[in-house]
Amino acid sequence: MDGAPSPASPAGLSAYVVVSQLLGLTLLVTTGAWLGRYRGGVAWHSPLQFNVHPLCMVLGMVFLQGDALLVYRVFRHEAKRSTKALHALLHGLALVIALVGIVAVFEFHQTKGIPDMYSLHSWCGMAAFVLYLLQWLLGCGFFLLPGASFSLRGRYKPQHVFFGLALFALSIAVCLLGITEMLLFNIRDSYSHFVSEGVLANTLGVLLVAFGLVVGYVLTRDDWKRPPLAEELALSMDFKTLTEGESPGGGSQ
């Protein structure tokens, strides 16, 4: 109805979204503080190139991925096509930033003569990135681009939702492995003495877990799911008719 106000968000949703963003920004600041104060900062084609890796992974695979997952909870009353596009765009940006981080660490290892892909962190991290890329490509193919039928989209959607949340959790776990590995490489002898760098890095790990828990809670609340708009229901019926040859009022087989 023209001039009608948009329905209010469910109670508590806005507060949790705000908390998630505060946690996300805090973990980015904490990552920058750790790398800047204790690891010398960030630079390309220098001994500091390695530091590009943790910064890009936290920014891309955690913060931006988490925000991409929240799109359908935050933008509840906008056109679904626009919401889908933003969801895909944020995931795509996260992938590009993560790729920069992967290139940085491989180039650094090559320069220093360090072996690649031998640690649990690297195995899980590469698996997370490849699966995330596959998830993004399948999501674009099924939901953003034309071609997939209504029933095919319906069958794939539960897998897309599950693996989206699972890959987000895996990305956080990989970051925790990376933080621990980096601390053991750099301050192995003093880590157990509660030195300031170790405490700051551990705090970053706690922030990563907290961010993941808040985002995960928002995503798993059924009553906070984005409700379909009236025009979207009509378009869905039209799309089903076009792709499967059923009339909106007809019975299913």
Side-chain angles (χ1 to χ4, degrees):
M1 187 179 300
D2 293 340
S6 299
S9 297
L13 173 59
S14 297
Y16 273 93
V17 170
V18 169
V19 169
S20 74
Q21 297 311 288
L22 291 175
L23 286 170
L25 293 174
T26 303
L27 69 87
L28 290 177
V29 171
T30 305
T31 303
W34 176 29
L35 297 175
R37 180 175 176 81
Y38 296 102
R39 296 292 107 211
V42 175
W44 201 268
H45 295 310
S46 80
L48 302 177
Q49 185 175 3
F50 177 85
N51 294 342
V52 175
H53 176 70
L55 180 62
C56 286
M57 292 319 195
V58 171
L59 174 58
M61 295 295 286
V62 178
F63 181 67
L64 286 178
Q65 184 179 179
D67 274 8
L69 295 174
L70 289 175
V71 161
Y72 285 107
R73 301 298 185 272
V74 175
F75 299 98
R76 304 173 57 81
H77 310 297
E78 286 70 25
K80 191 166 187 180
R81 183 75 180 180
S82 300
T83 309
K84 281 184 183 181
L86 179 60
H87 179 72
L89 179 63
L90 287 175
H91 279 308
L93 182 59
L95 280 164
V96 171
I97 292 173
L99 181 60
V100 172
I102 291 173
V103 171
V105 74
F106 273 99
E107 284 193 2
F108 177 82
H109 283 178
Q110 185 178 29
T111 301
K112 297 294 184 179
I114 301 172
D116 293 313
M117 299 302 299
Y118 66 88
S119 68
L120 179 61
H121 166 68
S122 61
W123 286 19
C124 293
M126 188 57 70
F129 179 78
V130 171
L131 291 173
Y132 187 33
L133 175 60
L134 181 61
Q135 167 87 346
W136 183 73
L137 291 173
L138 288 172
C140 289
F142 276 96
F143 301 115
L144 196 60
L145 302 176
S149 68
F150 185 87
S151 60
L152 191 59
R153 290 182 178 186
R155 287 196 297 270
Y156 174 66
K157 184 178 178 180
Q159 283 77 29
H160 185 72
V161 172
F162 169 78
F163 283 108
L165 188 55
L167 287 171
F168 178 60
L170 176 59
S171 298
I172 291 174
V174 170
C175 285
L176 296 178
L177 286 172
I179 291 170
T180 303
E181 186 177 282
M182 194 168 169
L183 290 174
L184 292 178
F185 281 159
N186 291 294
I187 58 169
R188 178 191 302 271
D189 295 333
S190 59
Y191 187 24
S192 60
H193 297 177
F194 292 93
V195 293
S196 57
E197 180 178 359
V199 172
L200 182 62
N202 287 350
T203 301
L204 172 59
V206 172
L207 288 170
L208 286 165
V209 172
F211 179 71
L213 289 175
V214 173
V215 171
Y217 180 73
V218 172
L219 295 175
T220 54
R221 280 282 298 263
D222 285 339
D223 54 328
W224 288 354
K225 289 182 178 179
R226 179 185 182 277
L229 304 180
E231 57 268 26
E232 294 170 3
L233 292 174
L235 286 172
S236 293
M237 293 303 298
D238 291 341
F239 179 74
K240 185 174 182 180
T241 302
L242 289 171
T243 58
E244 299 181 10
E246 297 179 8
S247 63
S252 59
Q253 295 180 357

